[in-house]
Amino acid sequence: MPPVLVDSNVLLDVLTEDPRWFEWSATELENAAELHPLIIDPLVYAEVSIGFARIEELDEALPPSLFQRESLPWEAAFLAGKVFLKYRRGGGVRRSPLPDFFIGAHAAVAGYILLTRDAARYRTYFPTLELRAP
């Protein structure tokens, strides 16, 4: 089974017990963990870190024994740049690539499934990427 790259929104739903998304995110995360290795990258780690005062607390919430840590592949950085260019040409207003472009590119280049609840951007810019999303 291919690994699952876990998007920060799913982790934040679980860690903050989001009233709307906690149940879906917790169930999907548990189901993915039963069948697949779970992956996070530095972008996901950074986005989740905002809610923690100390790195030790974050590492306890995202234990390396459950969430394998991977660096962003160079090929994913290249793809993120190309997708960002498409976004800008399509009228996007941001001046630098969004974290979602790097996360989506990482999953696409590595052949991973992406677990997210924010699928619209990924479906638009990474149409062949396998998603687990509501």
Side-chain angles (χ1 to χ4, degrees):
M1 292 294 219
V4 171
L5 182 61
V6 183
D7 199 355
S8 54
N9 54 38
V10 172
L11 296 170
L12 289 168
D13 290 344
V14 173
L15 294 170
T16 65
E17 297 184 15
D18 182 89
R20 180 172 179 199
W21 289 105
F22 173 80
E23 187 174 325
W24 183 88
S25 292
T27 299
E28 290 298 317
L29 191 58
E30 184 178 330
N31 290 343
E34 288 178 10
L35 299 173
H36 308 269
L38 301 179
I39 308 293
I40 59 172
D41 65 21
L43 294 154
V44 171
Y45 190 86
E47 289 181 326
V48 175
S49 76
I50 293 169
F52 294 86
R54 298 179 44 231
I55 193 170
E56 294 83 4
E57 294 169 354
L58 178 58
D59 287 341
E60 187 176 317
L62 300 175
S65 59
L66 182 57
F67 298 97
Q68 296 176 27
R69 291 164 161 100
E70 280 192 11
S71 298
L72 186 71
W74 289 102
E75 298 85 358
F78 181 83
L79 178 57
K82 296 303 174 196
V83 168
F84 176 69
L85 182 61
K86 181 179 177 182
Y87 161 81
R88 290 285 297 176
R89 288 181 176 159
V93 297
R94 301 260 177 130
R95 296 229 172 257
S96 62
L98 301 167
D100 288 350
F101 292 153
F102 289 103
I103 293 166
H106 183 174
V109 165
Y112 295 162
I113 298 165
L114 180 62
L115 176 58
T116 184
R117 66 164 165 76
D118 184 23
R121 184 172 288 128
Y122 296 116
R123 285 191 176 118
T124 299
Y125 293 101
F126 302 97
T128 62
L129 180 61
E130 184 178 346
L131 299 176
R132 296 275 164 79

